[in-house]
């Protein structure tokens, strides 16, 4: 298609300037980052007011200083003019870059007429420490395990570390390289370093740990300087998951017992001399006001034990002891953090504060979210404020905390009695909540006593979605808030209870939806490492990653393990990222080999094929309603689906032989599936008797297994497992099942994502809209009318006037899996679908609701630039507004029953050189367009 548009819009070169300009320069998906990739990938977007504008060539310059770059003296790399349209995933190909190198770069592009545009504004990246030999720092710690108190929760205090050093002047630049086994906060001369929280992030600490790099020149001065750090157990040594709940032999300290710190400050003076101050045994350590700090269980702070100005110079630390040096693991890698750090997203003021019995005060922050609160209180020395957190209230107005299970989720602050009041924010815990119950106030608190601090991985905003229907707008906001709450270093299932694990089934079902809301490229660059680090010895991908042994029977599950294939594929398609495929290709190949061996060479999983895992068959269509789809049938569909994705990815990384192989596997799976799971008419079936009474399987409602389900057909259609004729028949059966169910869905985690897309692709868009707009149980609207401001784990998590479902067992009110409808909102209601990987080409094919919604507007900031698609009905008239970014082409389908009435900007399409009219078919006029803003009108 790109070639078509070059021919369509190409004009002979002439001596005129072009307005084509590169913007939004990034390295490894980030703006001015620190990286440790030997060949960092560069990207940019392009702006131009010219319709159909394309890049025909580019030139990149990389220099060691801004001055050299400005003078076009590219001492690191000058790509020279490179023909091509690529604007992302461009690998650096200059001189080998040493550790600490700072690289300044710019780019320019040639337009469709062959004219060079202006150079971009300069950007930069910096190389981190590339080898363990670059590290002079040692791991230091302070074993306070014996000070942990409590029968249920063993929570020792958090250690403090400090070091004073004398620096010569003047200081040209300074970098702090810092990490921990556990969580850390670093301070220099009394000032917190950076805006990141929960650093260095959760990994399999036995295999790798990430570090952060901070530019700290402004923190330092000539003469005496003080360095300080606080370290907490975090994911390394704290409580994880439901280990305590189920009585696991190990409930905490899954990676180690003592949290450790590793840091080095590198200073470069104006003279060129360098100096390094690194953690070693000379650093002083003690414990103080942070009596307890645990991610799940909360933080306890005694302000009477504070060390005033402890991280400033001149503090007397004679009562502190020397740190203990701990050995490193030779096999453990130390790498630059590749994801998006957790940061404060916003602050929330309480809507109300209500006095409850017993002197308790209930604060309503108006939104369920992940984070902490900042407490402001005035009282006497020794007064104790306790904060409990909940997502919902009982009908009687009391806070509901049963669904937290064994997560204590309590923060405690002991006052020192400061006359002007005291302010405290926990550092090393977080909660999922909307309501805060506070005890210990001696006088009635005002609304300013509590402030909500929303924390989330700082994934850049990418999309927006709005309609004229308040119910759907609220649903979309609920999806966004749920993703914000759970994209927390890893894609957790929930932010509140004793779990907070990155369940792979949830992750793969939702990942495509996530791409429309935020730029998740860097976030998944990090998590896919976690996932592959956790790949099992048998090559199955685990149930969650990282994968500490919180339950012996947690192994793998069909529909969950495929995350190791599905997620890299979505990152590839969304961002044009082939490096992620190459990096994990051996792992993915090994997993497909495992699945093939599991099928015993038959290319299908017959009933009871997965009886050896727990639960039997795996988790299947988790939390579905009614008849249960056989897990082996679903496993067979996923086997075929992943084989087809492997074939496509193989071609993307120039492995044609392997592509042919996986295409062959896909064909064999499709044939074997039809033979095993369809009758003579093509209807799906299963041998229900093979499962007996279902003991050991997941059967919601104990209603038995059936192949003829919404989930089975939706997945088969979505995964292209059927012939075109059979696909339509499956779509008809899917419609029949929905009608028989009183026009209600019956799907769970694995069936929901493909449900509406399957309806749309088989000509049943209006039924998809009917399900979207429903407010009856089970539906998204049912949650909204029952007060939801996030997506619930269960369709019936709460019913007004009735109460809660399975609170003490499993009932999260902040669970993104059922938010996977977002994929349909953007891809079908707004009609935005990726074509060539990285949105090099895009399809815009909006589906117009017959009732309930009269307008839709979606924006999506792709790696190529901003895409917009919106439609509005007014009587028999339809307006469709579309924006296509520079260097992108689109196939557009304008809904109409009268193709001759279609106009663009009130002008005939035939006279518009920027539009190529193809054909009218199935109620759509098909067009080809290039970049620019377009307004189409049609009559129906």
């Amino acid at each position: 298609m790109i070639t078509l548009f070059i021919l369509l819009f190409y004009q002979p070169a002439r001596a005129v300037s072009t307005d084509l300009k590169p913007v939004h320069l990034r390295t490894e998906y980030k703006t001015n980052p620190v990286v440790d990739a030997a060949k960092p990938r560069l990207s940019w977007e392009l702006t131009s007011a010219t319709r159909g504008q394309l890049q025909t060539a580019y030139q990149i310059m990389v220099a060691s200083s801004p001055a050299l770059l400005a003078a076009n003296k590219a001492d690191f790399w000058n790509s020279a003019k490179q023909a091509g349209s690529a604007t992302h995933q461009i690998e650096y190909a200059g001189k080998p870059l040493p550790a600490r190198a700072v690289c300044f770069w710019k780019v320019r592009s040639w337009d469709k007429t062959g004219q060079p545009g202006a150079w971009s504004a300069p950007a930069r990246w910096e190389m981190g420490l590339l080898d363990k030999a670059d590290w002079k720092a040692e791991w230091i710690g302070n074993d306070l395990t014996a000070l942990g108190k409590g029968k249920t929760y063993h929570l020792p205090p958090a250690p403090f570390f400090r070091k004073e050093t004398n620096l010569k002047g003047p200081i040209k630049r300074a970098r702090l390289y810092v990490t921990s086994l556990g969580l850390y906060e670093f301070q220099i001369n009394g000032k917190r370093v950076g805006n990141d929280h929960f650093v260095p992030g959760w990994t399999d600490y036995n295999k790798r740990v990430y570090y952060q790099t901070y530019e700290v020149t402004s923190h330092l001065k000539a003469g005496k300087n003080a360095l300080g750090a606080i370290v907490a157990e975090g994911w390394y040594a704290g409580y994880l998951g439901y280990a305590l709940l189920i009585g696991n032999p190990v409930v905490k300290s899954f990676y180690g017992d003592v949290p450790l710190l590793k840091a080095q400050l590198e200073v470069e003076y104006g003279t060129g001399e360098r100096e390094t101050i690194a953690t070693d045994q000379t650093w002083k350590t003690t414990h103080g006001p942070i009596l307890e700090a645990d991610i799940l269980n909360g933080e306890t702070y005694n302000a009477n034990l504070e060390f005033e100005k402890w991280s400033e110079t001149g503090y007397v630390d004679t009562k502190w002891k020397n740190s203990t040096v701990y050995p490193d693991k030779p096999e453990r890698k130390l790498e630059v953090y590749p994801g998006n750090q957790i940061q404060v997203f916003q602050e929330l003021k309480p809507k109300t504060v209500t006095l409850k019995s017993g002197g308790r005060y209930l604060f309503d922050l108006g939104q369920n979210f992940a984070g902490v609160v900042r407490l402001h209180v005035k009282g006497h020395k020794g007064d104790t404020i306790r904060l409990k957190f909940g997502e919902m209230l009982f009908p009687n107005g009391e806070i509901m905390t049963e669904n937290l299970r064994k997560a204590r989720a309590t923060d405690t602050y002991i006052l020192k009695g400061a006359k002007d009041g005291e302010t405290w924010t926990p550092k090393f815990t977080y909660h999922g909540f909307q309501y805060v119950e506070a005890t210990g106030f001696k006088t009635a608190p005002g609304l300013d006593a509590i402030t909500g601090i929303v924390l989330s991985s700082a994934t850049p905003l990418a999309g927006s979605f709005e309609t004229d229907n308040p119910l759907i707008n609220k649903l979309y906001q609920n999806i966004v808030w749920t993703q914000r709450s759970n994209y927390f270093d890893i894609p957790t299932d929930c932010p509140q209870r004793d779990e907070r694990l990155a369940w792979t089934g949830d992750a793969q079902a939702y990942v495509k939806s996530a791409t429309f809301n935020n730029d998740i490229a860097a976030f998944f660059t990090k998590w896919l490492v976690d996932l592959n680090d956790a790949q099992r010895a048998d090559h199955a991908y685990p149930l969650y990653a990282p994968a500490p042994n919180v339950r012996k029977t947690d192994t793998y599950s069909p529909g969950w393990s495929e995350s190791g294939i599905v997620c890299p594929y979505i990152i590839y398609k969304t961002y044009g990222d082939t490096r992620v495929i190459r990096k994990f290709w051996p792992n993915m190949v090994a997993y497909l080999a495992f699945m093939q061996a599991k099928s015993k060479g038959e290319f299908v999983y017959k009933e009871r094929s997965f009886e050896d895992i727990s639960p039997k068959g795996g988790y299947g269509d988790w939390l579905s309603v009614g008849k249960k789809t056989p897990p082996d049938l679903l496993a067979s569909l996923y086997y075929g689906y992943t084989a087809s994705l492997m074939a496509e990815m193989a071609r993307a990384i120039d492995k044609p032989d392997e592509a042919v192989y996986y295409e062959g596997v896909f064909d064999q799976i499709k044939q074997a599936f039809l033979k095993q799971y369809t009758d003579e008419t093509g209807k799906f079936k299963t041998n229900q008797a093979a499962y007996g009474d279902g003991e050991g399987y997941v059967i919601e409602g104990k209603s038995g297994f059936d192949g003829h389900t919404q989930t089975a057909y939706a997945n088969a259609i979505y995964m292209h497992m059927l012939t075109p004729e059979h696909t339509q028949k499956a779509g008809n059966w899917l419609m029949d099942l929905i009608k028989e169910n009183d026009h209600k869905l019956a799907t769970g985690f694995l069936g929901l994502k493909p449900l509406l897309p399957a309806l749309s692709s088989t000509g049943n868009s209006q039924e998809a809209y009917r399900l979207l707009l429903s407010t009856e149980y089970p539906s998204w609207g049912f949650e909204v009318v029952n007060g939801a401001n996030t997506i619930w784990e269960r369709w019936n998590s709460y019913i007004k006037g009735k109460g809660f479902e399975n609170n003490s067992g499993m009932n999260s009110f902040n669970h993104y899996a059922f938010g996977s409808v977002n994929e349909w909102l953007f891809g079908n209601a707004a009609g935005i679908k990726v074509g060539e990987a990285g949105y090099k080409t895009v399809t815009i094919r909006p589906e117009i609701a017959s009732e309930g919604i009269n307008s839709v507007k979606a924006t999506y900031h792709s790696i190529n630039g901003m895409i917009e698609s919106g439609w509005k009905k007014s009587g028999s008239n339809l307006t469709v507004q579309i924006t296509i970014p520079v260097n992108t082409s689109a196939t557009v389908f304008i809904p109409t029953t009268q193709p001759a009435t279609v106009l663009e900007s009130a002008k005939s399409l035939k006279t518009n050189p920027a539009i190529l009219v193809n054909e009218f078919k199935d109620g759509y006029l098909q067009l080809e367009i290039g970049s620019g803003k377009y307004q189409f009108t049609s009559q129906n």
Side-chain angles (χ1 to χ4, degrees):
M1 189 182 294
I2 289 293
T3 303
L4 167 68
F5 274 87
I6 290 175
L7 294 173
L8 187 63
F9 302 122
Y10 180 79
Q11 300 173 26
R14 55 193 185 276
V16 295
S17 61
T18 176
D19 67 346
L20 186 66
K21 186 173 183 179
V23 297
H24 197 205
L25 275 64
R26 295 186 298 162
T27 306
E28 290 296 324
Y29 299 118
K30 299 182 182 182
T31 302
N32 300 336
V34 175
V35 303
D36 56 7
K39 296 179 179 180
R41 294 167 297 174
L42 310 179
S43 69
W44 59 92
E45 297 168 21
L46 292 165
T47 62
S48 172
T50 303
R51 274 189 172 182
Q53 188 59 276
L54 298 167
Q55 174 188 281
T56 55
Y58 66 86
Q59 181 180 9
I60 298 170
M61 286 189 179
V62 185
S64 59
S65 74
L68 287 173
L69 187 67
N72 293 336
K73 295 180 179 179
D75 55 331
F76 281 161
W77 184 40
N78 184 344
S79 72
K81 182 180 179 180
Q82 299 292 318
S85 60
T87 58
H88 51 79
Q89 311 296 343
I90 310 294
E91 285 193 352
Y92 170 82
K95 295 178 181 177
L97 297 171
R100 307 174 182 85
V102 182
C103 306
F104 300 89
W105 72 287
K106 62 182 180 180
V107 61
R108 64 172 173 168
S109 298
W110 279 257
D111 72 3
K112 62 184 179 181
T113 70
Q115 292 298 312
W119 285 101
S120 68
R124 58 177 281 171
W125 80 83
E126 185 172 331
M127 302 302 291
L129 304 182
L130 306 181
D131 190 272
K132 276 197 173 183
D134 293 321
W135 284 88
K136 309 306 177 189
E138 297 183 280
W139 289 109
I140 61 170
N142 183 358
D143 187 354
L144 303 173
T145 308
L147 299 181
K149 299 177 181 178
K151 293 181 179 179
T152 304
Y153 305 103
H154 183 89
L155 300 171
F160 286 61
F161 300 88
R162 72 182 308 274
K163 172 78 173 181
E164 288 199 23
T165 187
N166 197 50
L167 299 179
K168 308 164 190 175
I171 299 168
K172 180 180 178 181
R173 82 167 198 164
R175 295 289 185 273
L176 174 68
Y177 303 96
V178 57
T179 186
S180 64
L181 295 172
L183 304 176
Y184 73 83
E185 179 181 293
F186 207 93
Q187 301 179 17
I188 298 179
N189 293 326
K191 184 179 178 182
R192 189 184 193 276
V193 174
N195 300 315
D196 305 326
H197 297 260
F198 290 84
V199 279
W202 188 1
T203 57
D204 181 341
Y205 300 102
N206 294 315
K207 292 184 177 180
R208 77 185 71 240
V209 62
Y210 292 122
Y211 68 90
Q212 285 70 41
T213 305
Y214 296 105
E215 206 289 328
V216 293
T217 308
S218 63
H219 286 65
L220 301 169
K221 60 184 185 297
K224 288 186 176 182
N225 290 266
L227 313 179
I230 313 168
V231 180
E233 292 187 326
W235 293 290
Y236 176 75
Y239 287 83
L240 296 179
Y242 38 71
L244 183 64
L245 176 74
I246 65 165
N248 198 58
V250 178
V251 297
K252 71 184 297 283
S253 301
F254 284 90
Y255 302 98
D257 297 316
V258 181
L260 306 177
L261 174 70
K262 189 186 194 78
Q264 67 187 46
L265 174 67
E266 297 190 358
V267 179
E268 181 182 350
Y269 297 108
T271 61
E273 184 182 353
R274 299 173 183 267
E275 184 175 3
T276 299
I277 299 93
T279 47
D280 60 21
Q281 65 178 5
T282 67
W283 285 53
K284 297 293 186 177
T285 182
T286 192
H287 59 92
I290 303 179
L291 303 182
E292 299 176 328
D294 186 79
I295 290 174
L296 297 180
N297 297 312
E299 196 160 313
T300 299
Y301 190 94
N302 187 343
N304 299 286
L305 302 178
E306 287 178 345
F307 318 112
E308 189 174 354
K309 299 183 179 180
W310 67 275
S311 62
E312 298 182 27
T313 58
Y315 176 81
V316 179
D317 59 13
T318 52
K319 293 184 179 179
W320 294 38
K321 67 177 184 179
N322 284 357
S323 297
T324 300
V325 172
Y326 287 75
D328 193 13
K329 290 188 174 183
E331 68 277 16
R332 179 165 51 213
K333 297 177 181 178
L334 194 54
E335 300 173 334
V336 170
Y337 185 82
N340 304 110
Q341 302 283 183
I342 294 168
Q343 295 180 347
V344 174
F345 177 78
Q346 73 179 86
E347 296 189 357
L348 298 175
K349 300 295 182 184
K351 303 295 184 182
T352 60
V353 56
T354 306
L355 175 63
K356 311 297 286 187
S357 63
R360 298 170 295 128
Y361 290 90
L362 183 70
F363 293 83
D364 177 5
L365 287 154
Q367 175 64 51
N368 196 8
F369 68 99
V372 292
V373 298
R374 181 171 61 244
L375 171 68
H376 182 70
V377 60
K378 187 175 181 179
H380 298 103
K381 181 183 176 69
D383 287 354
T384 300
I385 306 295
R386 284 191 174 83
L387 307 174
K388 290 185 175 293
F389 302 86
E391 298 179 288
M392 297 285 285
L393 301 179
F394 285 108
N396 65 2
E398 294 294 325
I399 193 169
M400 190 276 287
T401 60
E402 282 114 323
N403 70 332
L404 304 181
R405 301 188 309 205
K406 286 292 186 178
R408 190 184 64 180
T410 301
D411 294 339
T412 303
Y413 182 77
I414 303 169
L415 280 69
K416 59 186 175 185
K419 64 178 182 178
D420 295 326
E422 304 168 43
T423 300
W424 173 66
T425 307
K427 298 179 184 295
F428 303 116
T429 190
Y430 81 99
H431 314 288
F433 65 103
Q434 176 174 333
Y435 300 95
V436 183
E437 182 186 272
T439 59
F441 281 100
K442 302 300 184 185
T443 58
L447 291 174
D448 62 346
I450 292 289
T451 302
I453 309 295
V454 180
L455 294 169
S456 180
S457 287
T459 52
L461 181 67
S464 67
F465 185 88
E466 186 177 7
T467 75
D468 65 330
N469 187 308
L471 179 83
I472 305 307
N473 293 343
K474 183 59 177 174
L475 168 62
Y476 178 67
Q477 289 305 314
N478 291 0
I479 292 170
V480 170
W481 269 104
T482 306
Q483 182 173 325
R484 182 175 297 142
S485 302
N486 285 290
Y487 274 31
F488 201 94
D489 186 71
I490 60 172
T492 63
D493 60 328
C494 59
Q496 76 296 95
R497 68 177 177 231
D498 56 348
E499 197 158 348
R500 312 189 204 185
L501 302 170
W503 283 87
T504 49
D506 307 42
Q508 69 86 7
Y510 183 75
V511 62
K512 188 171 182 179
S513 287
T515 65
F516 287 113
N517 298 332
N518 295 83
D519 178 352
I520 62 167
F523 182 85
F524 266 80
T525 297
K526 188 266 181 186
W527 185 68
L528 287 174
V529 174
D530 298 333
L531 179 57
N532 283 274
D533 277 352
Q535 190 171 23
R536 292 162 42 83
D538 59 10
H539 303 303
Y541 286 101
L543 293 173
Y544 41 80
N549 296 315
V550 297
R551 180 166 57 191
K552 183 180 180 181
T553 55
D554 286 351
T555 55
Y556 74 96
S557 170
W560 267 246
S561 298
E562 286 78 4
S563 185
I565 311 296
V566 175
C567 291
Y569 173 79
I570 294 298
I571 298 304
Y572 154 66
K573 286 293 286 186
T574 305
Y575 306 107
D577 190 336
T578 54
R579 181 177 288 182
V580 73
I581 302 175
R582 295 181 193 279
K583 183 173 184 176
F584 300 121
W585 187 252
N587 304 66
M588 293 190 282
V589 168
Y591 175 64
L592 263 292
F594 165 80
M595 293 300 284
Q596 186 164 333
K598 189 71 178 174
S599 78
K600 299 177 182 177
E602 296 186 337
F603 297 97
V604 69
Y605 303 114
K606 297 179 178 179
E607 291 86 349
R608 298 172 57 183
S609 289
F610 293 89
E611 278 197 318
D612 56 325
I613 60 176
S614 178
K616 289 181 179 179
Y619 287 93
D621 192 25
W622 186 244
L623 297 181
S624 60
V625 182
K627 286 281 187 181
K628 197 74 173 175
T629 306
D632 305 286
L633 183 155
L634 272 174
S636 300
L637 290 172
Y638 266 97
Y639 181 23
Y641 183 49
T642 52
S644 70
L645 300 187
M646 288 291 283
E648 186 176 344
M649 287 190 285
R651 294 201 183 279
I653 60 171
D654 301 318
K655 292 182 179 289
D657 292 345
E658 291 184 61
V660 170
Y661 169 74
Y662 285 114
E663 286 164 354
V665 171
F666 182 39
D667 288 339
Q668 288 177 286
I669 295 169
K670 287 189 289 185
Q671 294 170 23
F673 174 82
L674 295 177
K675 182 178 180 182
Q676 179 67 26
Y677 286 112
T678 62
D679 64 17
E680 63 278 1
T681 69
K683 184 178 290 188
F684 289 7
K685 65 172 186 175
T686 192
N687 178 9
Q688 185 169 341
Y691 294 106
D693 62 2
E695 184 67 29
Y697 285 86
V698 175
I699 309 179
E700 288 282 317
K702 298 295 182 183
S703 53
F705 290 111
D706 194 337
H708 185 61
T709 64
Q710 292 180 22
T711 288
Y713 291 119
N715 275 283
I717 294 167
Y718 184 93
M719 295 173 177
H720 304 290
M721 286 286 289
L722 310 172
T723 65
E725 181 184 359
H726 197 176
T727 294
Q728 191 55 56
K729 291 173 70 175
N732 296 339
W733 283 317
L734 176 59
M735 272 295 295
D736 292 343
L737 286 166
I738 294 171
K739 290 177 181 177
E740 291 167 10
N741 199 38
D742 197 21
H743 293 278
K744 296 175 183 178
L745 57 82
T747 50
F749 279 25
L750 298 185
L752 188 72
K753 177 185 80 165
L755 179 61
L756 269 57
L759 287 169
S760 287
S761 67
T762 52
N764 296 306
S765 296
Q766 297 313 312
E767 188 64 29
Y769 271 112
R770 183 168 182 165
L771 293 175
L772 179 72
L773 291 163
S774 173
T775 57
E776 296 183 33
Y777 168 81
S779 69
W780 299 279
F782 179 80
E783 296 182 8
V784 172
V785 298
N786 276 281
N789 56 44
T790 42
I791 300 297
W792 296 349
E793 180 174 24
R794 297 174 174 273
W795 291 116
N796 59 342
S797 285
Y798 176 79
I799 303 174
K800 284 182 178 178
K802 181 180 178 182
F804 300 97
E805 178 71 23
N806 197 27
N807 256 0
S808 59
M810 191 186 71
N811 195 18
S812 164
F813 288 87
N814 204 337
H815 227 85
Y816 59 65
F818 286 152
S820 60
V821 67
N822 201 52
E823 178 179 330
W824 186 89
L825 294 179
F826 279 86
N828 295 84
I832 301 172
K833 290 187 177 179
V834 64
E836 292 180 40
Y839 285 86
K840 187 64 177 172
T841 62
V842 62
T843 297
I844 306 290
R845 191 181 187 275
E847 297 172 16
I848 311 303
S850 60
E851 58 184 11
I853 298 176
N854 293 305
S855 69
V856 165
K857 182 181 179 182
T859 67
Y860 172 58
H861 195 147
S862 75
I863 196 167
N864 258 21
M866 184 63 75
I867 299 169
E868 296 181 344
S869 176
W871 55 264
K872 184 175 182 179
K873 291 190 301 181
S874 179
S876 62
N877 297 318
L878 179 70
T879 301
V880 179
Q881 291 187 312
I882 294 171
T883 299
I884 303 300
V886 174
N887 206 39
T888 304
S889 57
T891 301
V892 174
F893 294 82
I894 303 299
T896 183
T897 56
Q898 303 178 52
T901 67
V902 177
L903 304 175
E904 195 283 311
S905 297
K907 297 178 182 177
S908 170
L909 302 183
K910 295 179 180 179
T911 60
N912 195 326
I915 299 172
L916 182 66
V917 180
N918 279 347
E919 63 175 342
F920 175 69
K921 184 179 179 182
D922 299 330
Y924 285 91
L925 182 62
Q926 182 180 337
L927 314 171
E928 306 290 342
I929 63 175
S931 65
K933 292 180 179 291
Y934 300 82
Q935 180 170 298
F936 296 96
T937 54
S938 68
Q939 294 182 4
N940 296 280

